[in-house]
Amino acid sequence: MKFTYNWLREYVAVELGPEEIAARLTLLGLEVDAVEPLYAELAPVRVARVAAVHPHPNADRLTLCDVEDGEAQMRRVVCGAPNVRAGMYSALVTPGAVLPGGLKIKASKIRGERSEGMLCSAQELGLAADAEAATGIMDLDPAAIPSLEPGLPLRTALGLADTLFEVDLTPNRPDCTGVIGLAREVAGFTGLPLRRPVEQAPLLPTPEQAGSDLPFTVAVEAAECHRYAARLLRNLRIAPSPPWLQQRLQAVGLRPINNIVDVTNLVMLEYGQPMHAFDFDRLAGGRIRVRRAAQQEKITTLDGVARELTPAMLVIADSDQPVAVAGIMGGASSEVGPDSVNILLESACFEAKSVRTTAAALKLATDSSYRFERGVDPQVAPLALERAVALILELAGGEAVPGGIDYRAGVQPSSELILRLRRVNDLLGTALDIDTVEKVLAGIEITGERADDQTLRITPPSFRVDLEREVDLIEEVARLVGYDRIPAAMPKVAMELPAVDPVAERRRRLRSLMQAAGCHEAINYSFVNPAHADTLQLPADDPRRQALPLLNPLSEEQAVMRTSLLPGLLDNARHNINHQSPDLRLFELGKVFFVEERQDLPREEEHLAAVFSGRRSPRAPMLWTGEEPVDIYDVKGVMEELLTGLALADLQLVPAATTPSYAMASFQLIITDGPEGELLGEAGKIQPAVLKAFGIKQEVFYLELNLTELSRCRSTSAGFAALPRFPAVKWDLAMLVPEEVEAGEMLAAIRKTGGKLLEQVEIFDVYRGKHIEPGRKSVAFAIHYRDAEQTLNDKKVGVVHGKIIKMLEQRFHGQLREA
């Protein structure tokens, strides 16, 4: 938004300088990007009076002019302008100055005669672009400029001494897209009154109330039009605008066109209310229809471009065709030109979203759409209309047809807001009183009434469409009081460690354990291929088949939410193997999603999955480990390390009761005190058919844990034990047991029977073959005994060892194997 200092002072009589105003506006949240003096390049140009004109002795088209420029001595200037005459006032540039075009003026001889400066045309000074302005020097009228005298700076004489402001507006401040809105902010921090050109407009009749004698009709057929006011002006004279109006528009970067169009642009910049003028004689049927465009309807806009419209676009139409794209640009068919006589003037309010989408679809951004997209105050439309009518009649003559039309059925009243003083001070950290809050808000015309001595009841003004909640009003109080005046205070922070999030700590621990096991973490999308359920050969009744579909998937391969981490890791495995990295240990820690009946959102579970393939120790020398591949016991070892590291109780690894459809040689993790051994995880070897479906040509082992369920398990308490003072005793034990006896059960039974003396037990051999009868196996244990209070002897160890042998014989039908 651009405006000038002198223009601002027409609405608020501020005495602060431009730099101070810019600083105060920026503190109010209206960032001023630039403050630049206007026509600074004209600073050396002065008013001069031509005292006498003499013929040039050596050139017929040149004259010698004696010029008064406020100095004691008269200057001699050679001039070639045909309009120069004695007694006229013009613009003089003296030697040493530089013209706006870059020409440096020097004292020189022209056809043998010395010239001490240059009398300039308006075009040479950059004040006019037409060729006619270049045919003669500037002719300043003393009657129009009473203060005219030799030596007066030309910027002062022409009223060009001004300062341009450029404000970078945020989208939530449409009230400041007009100079009056910015003047309101200045009036707020200076306490000065705000003066408007039109304070109140007569209430025009609605379309239903308008009489039949009115020469035009208005019909609003679309809800996106909230207000539409129009008046008719007759017998106007289209001409260039007066210099003051042209200069004002040029100062803010607009090109003057004619007195009618220039007035609509001026009022738009003044009130922030876009306007449009139609040539009334070119409107078919004298009718205005605010409607949606028809399919493939076309309009040629004022920029000469033919545009195809859609039914989503709002247009202004006459009886036959669209004559404007609502809120964006008028049509060429009703353009105001030199021959126009009767003008229909429009001042409307259109829905911001409608204008924004239409402007984007047409790739057409204008000063009008810039304001409508942010939200225009519907109550300003009749005020801007009256202001424009008054200016047009002043500049173009003619007369206004009595009355007009004002459609206002779409104007909605603002909702009342409650502002609590306690809430203001709590949020801002201030100690403001109710009088101060009420005063600063009233300074920008936000008024209300007191509900009590701590509460204000406020109805936001129509020009502040951004005030929707109490906190919006509190923000207004903060910026009006001044952010720099709100005391700063360091936050109170307790000097203590933050509470540890158990879920985050568990994730950290799991990652550390998996990395210690030689695994690398993979991160995959939660959106997966619906075909994964078939690739894993899941049964029809498996809940993992009920994947949640996405409404707007990224691709067909990412159309559902995952119900397992395995497919993603198998895809990772294939990718690595195909890129000459066959030795891999990958894990992923993430969420899976299951559809819940009669629930809008899926049930989320956190899982950990891993895949293992290739050599067991690919980085070790082959002479040490050979080419041993990973197997099911590697996976089992990682699973046991995880359980040990998490310190969870009541868990047991057992052979799988039923092997999953995608696996073989699998085992399961169950909770021993849960209902029927509740399943918390599984591990095993992937079926060859599944590997083939994934494009993998080597063995792959896997594990998957349900961390959500695992987190409900009881934790074992960690404790400290002193280092032992007495030596341990190791006794070996080999038992012949039936083939179906599980070694894990034997280990658990030995630990329980051994009591306090048993320190450690481990299996060091399982043998089948010669001297062992079929259907049986030999399992050898290394048992470590230790007493914390004394040195053990064979007698004491033998008692406990004998109990263990007896228990194994009775419970597992074992037989002590002789050496």
Side-chain angles (χ1 to χ4, degrees):
M1 173 62 192
K2 295 180 180 180
F3 66 98
T4 68
Y5 180 68
N6 290 342
W7 196 359
L8 176 73
R9 295 186 75 249
E10 291 182 10
Y11 312 114
V12 57
V14 61
E15 296 298 332
L16 300 175
E19 295 294 339
E20 177 66 16
I21 291 175
R24 297 291 293 273
L25 286 175
T26 299
L27 286 175
L28 285 172
L30 302 168
E31 184 178 357
V32 178
D33 286 345
V35 180
E36 301 174 355
L38 286 172
Y39 301 104
E41 67 277 9
L42 298 182
V45 184
R46 292 178 291 172
V47 173
R49 179 178 176 273
V50 180
V53 178
H54 310 286
H56 193 292
N58 302 319
D60 295 338
R61 296 185 178 181
L62 299 179
T63 56
L64 303 178
C65 302
D66 296 326
V67 177
E68 299 174 3
D69 64 348
E71 300 292 334
Q73 191 170 3
M74 197 172 294
R75 291 181 182 271
R76 172 60 63 88
V77 176
V78 176
C79 179
N83 67 328
V84 65
R85 66 183 187 278
M88 74 180 297
Y89 287 85
S90 190
L92 174 69
V93 182
T94 55
V98 180
L99 290 178
L103 176 64
K104 186 174 182 180
I105 304 302
K106 298 182 292 185
S108 61
K109 284 190 175 182
I110 301 176
R111 292 292 185 95
E113 295 293 329
R114 182 174 177 80
S115 180
E116 299 177 333
M118 178 178 177
L119 293 170
C120 300
S121 68
Q123 186 186 54
E124 289 167 332
L125 296 177
L127 298 176
D130 55 309
E132 185 179 346
T135 59
I137 59 175
M138 292 188 71
D139 189 356
L140 304 176
D141 185 5
I145 311 174
S147 62
L148 209 60
E149 61 179 18
L152 182 69
L154 183 66
R155 293 172 68 215
T156 303
L158 297 180
L160 300 177
D162 205 347
T163 302
L164 177 68
F165 292 80
E166 185 169 356
V167 180
D168 185 13
L169 295 179
T170 52
N172 67 318
R173 293 305 303 274
D175 58 302
C176 290
T177 57
V179 186
I180 290 176
L182 291 162
R184 183 187 296 111
E185 296 289 316
V186 175
F189 66 72
T190 60
L192 298 170
L194 178 65
R195 303 189 298 261
R196 297 178 179 83
V198 177
E199 293 288 349
Q200 191 170 0
L203 190 63
L204 298 175
T206 65
E208 295 77 16
Q209 297 169 340
S212 58
D213 55 341
L214 197 64
F216 68 95
T217 61
V218 171
V220 177
E221 304 169 10
E224 290 81 4
C225 178
H226 298 162
R227 190 159 195 171
Y228 195 95
R231 290 197 65 182
L232 179 62
L233 291 81
R234 292 191 179 278
N235 303 320
L236 302 178
R237 183 183 69 259
I238 309 300
S241 298
W244 71 266
L245 179 50
Q246 293 193 38
Q247 290 170 8
R248 180 152 293 179
L249 295 177
Q250 288 171 339
V252 296
L254 290 185
R255 178 176 60 88
I257 298 174
N258 58 50
N259 49 4
I260 306 300
V261 177
D262 292 351
V263 164
T264 61
N265 284 333
L266 177 74
V267 174
M268 176 186 69
L269 295 170
E270 191 173 51
Y271 279 89
Q273 170 64 55
M275 303 190 70
H276 189 66
F278 299 99
D279 186 330
F280 182 68
D281 298 323
R282 300 170 72 182
L283 291 178
R287 188 180 182 193
I288 288 290
R289 294 177 61 202
V290 185
R291 60 170 174 84
R292 289 180 176 272
Q295 188 68 42
Q296 297 182 335
E297 196 168 23
K298 294 184 178 181
I299 183 175
T300 300
T301 47
L302 290 174
D303 55 0
V305 177
R307 305 179 187 276
E308 185 171 319
L309 308 173
T310 69
M313 300 176 181
L314 195 65
V315 297
I316 313 299
D318 58 17
S319 296
D320 298 337
Q321 62 181 347
V323 293
V325 182
I328 302 176
M329 185 178 283
S333 64
S334 59
E335 179 181 6
V336 174
D339 300 328
S340 300
V341 176
N342 303 313
I343 301 298
L344 184 69
L345 204 57
E346 164 196 286
S347 181
C349 176
F350 304 110
E351 184 184 73
K353 180 181 178 181
S354 172
V355 175
R356 185 164 52 248
T357 55
T358 300
L362 295 177
K363 297 184 173 70
L364 184 60
T366 63
D367 289 329
S368 176
S369 66
Y370 172 84
R371 288 161 174 81
F372 278 120
E373 287 175 11
R374 284 158 173 76
V376 168
D377 179 7
Q379 303 295 359
V380 167
L383 297 175
L385 184 62
E386 288 305 308
R387 169 66 165 161
V389 167
L391 282 174
I392 289 174
L393 295 179
E394 176 186 340
L395 302 180
E399 65 274 347
V401 173
I405 290 179
D406 182 7
Y407 168 83
R408 48 186 177 271
V411 179
Q412 300 295 326
S414 300
S415 300
E416 185 179 77
L417 301 178
I418 299 297
L419 181 61
R420 297 164 292 173
L421 181 64
R422 180 178 177 180
R423 184 65 173 155
V424 172
N425 288 324
D426 284 349
L427 280 182
L428 302 184
T430 55
L432 301 174
D433 56 58
I434 194 72
D435 292 330
T436 301
V437 171
E438 194 171 25
K439 181 180 178 181
V440 296
L441 291 175
I444 57 171
E445 300 182 338
I446 300 176
T447 58
E449 59 182 17
R450 293 193 186 185
D452 53 49
D453 60 354
Q454 294 288 308
T455 309
L456 290 174
R457 200 179 277 118
I458 294 173
T459 300
S462 58
F463 57 81
R464 290 303 301 271
V465 296
D466 58 312
L467 301 181
E468 300 176 345
R469 302 171 296 168
E470 181 186 29
V471 71
D472 296 329
L473 292 173
I474 296 174
E475 182 182 6
E476 291 301 297
V477 173
R479 71 182 191 89
L480 292 170
V481 168
Y483 294 115
D484 55 331
R485 295 174 59 190
I486 295 177
M490 293 295 291
K492 293 181 179 179
V493 180
M495 298 300 291
E496 60 185 22
L497 292 174
V500 176
D501 180 1
V503 176
E505 176 62 21
R506 184 188 66 197
R507 291 196 194 103
R508 185 199 64 78
R509 182 65 179 153
L510 283 167
R511 286 190 173 95
S512 177
L513 291 169
M514 293 301 292
Q515 290 164 359
C519 298
H520 297 275
E521 185 172 8
I523 300 175
N524 293 304
Y525 284 109
S526 297
F527 318 136
V528 297
N529 195 328
H532 278 167
D534 294 329
T535 312
L536 283 180
Q537 301 181 358
L538 296 177
D541 59 347
D542 194 306
R544 288 172 289 185
R545 276 194 172 274
Q546 306 304 314
L548 182 70
L550 298 176
L551 293 178
N552 187 23
L554 299 174
S555 67
E556 292 183 3
E557 287 73 29
Q558 293 179 307
V560 298
M561 303 293 286
R562 65 187 178 188
T563 57
S564 173
L565 302 181
L566 277 180
L569 289 173
L570 290 172
D571 282 336
N572 299 149
R574 180 191 65 245
H575 181 84
N576 279 270
I577 293 168
N578 291 345
H579 287 78
Q580 288 77 51
S581 296
D583 306 311
L584 54 93
R585 293 189 175 200
L586 296 176
F587 78 95
E588 182 172 8
L589 199 160
K591 289 185 176 181
V592 294
F593 308 86
F594 296 96
V595 175
E596 291 277 86
E597 291 185 8
R598 296 184 293 277
Q599 296 291 331
D600 294 333
L601 297 177
R603 171 171 54 89
E604 299 182 15
E605 291 182 358
E606 190 170 26
H607 282 203
L608 170 70
V611 293
F612 305 80
S613 188
R615 292 175 293 172
R616 175 173 294 140
S617 303
R619 292 182 178 84
M622 291 184 189
L623 293 175
W624 296 355
T625 62
E627 293 286 305
E628 293 180 1
V630 296
D631 57 25
I632 191 68
Y633 298 106
D634 293 287
V635 182
K636 180 175 179 287
V638 172
M639 183 85 87
E640 289 172 339
E641 286 296 319
L642 288 177
L643 298 180
T644 302
L646 294 175
L648 297 177
D650 305 321
L651 294 173
Q652 185 178 357
L653 286 172
V654 298
T658 56
T659 303
S661 58
Y662 48 84
M664 54 192 294
S666 65
F667 57 89
Q668 297 172 332
L669 175 67
I670 63 171
I671 180 168
T672 55
D673 65 349
E676 298 182 359
E678 184 178 356
L679 178 64
L680 300 183
E682 61 180 41
K685 181 179 179 181
I686 302 293
Q687 286 274 13
V690 174
L691 293 176
K692 182 178 180 181
F694 275 96
I696 300 174
K697 299 179 180 179
Q698 64 186 52
E699 291 184 339
V700 176
F701 298 85
Y702 80 98
L703 69 81
E704 186 165 17
L705 297 177
N706 185 336
L707 300 181
T708 301
E709 295 298 329
L710 206 62
S711 64
R712 301 190 178 99
C713 294
R714 181 172 58 88
S715 298
T716 58
S717 57
F720 170 78
L723 293 175
R725 293 183 298 158
F726 300 97
V729 175
K730 176 191 171 189
W731 285 24
D732 294 341
L733 172 64
M735 296 293 294
L736 296 172
V737 294
E739 185 68 46
E740 63 271 13
V741 172
E742 295 181 2
E745 290 187 28
M746 296 175 70
L747 282 173
I750 291 172
R751 291 191 184 101
K752 187 174 182 180
T753 305
K756 294 182 179 180
L757 290 186
L758 191 147
E759 182 181 62
Q760 182 182 348
V761 59
E762 58 188 12
I763 298 173
F764 68 87
D765 182 53
V766 178
Y767 176 72
R768 303 174 184 86
K770 191 175 181 181
H771 306 302
I772 304 295
E773 61 182 285
R776 295 178 72 82
K777 61 185 176 182
S778 171
V779 182
F781 302 92
I783 306 175
H784 298 256
Y785 299 98
R786 191 194 302 268
D787 192 329
E789 303 296 333
Q790 59 184 335
T791 301
L792 289 174
N793 54 42
D794 289 348
K795 182 178 179 181
K796 194 169 185 178
V797 173
V799 172
V800 177
H801 202 70
K803 288 181 180 180
I804 293 174
I805 293 173
K806 187 175 181 180
M807 179 273 300
L808 294 175
E809 290 173 342
Q810 293 177 352
R811 181 173 174 182
F812 299 103
H813 307 289
Q815 179 184 350
L816 186 65
R817 181 184 175 192
E818 301 295 337

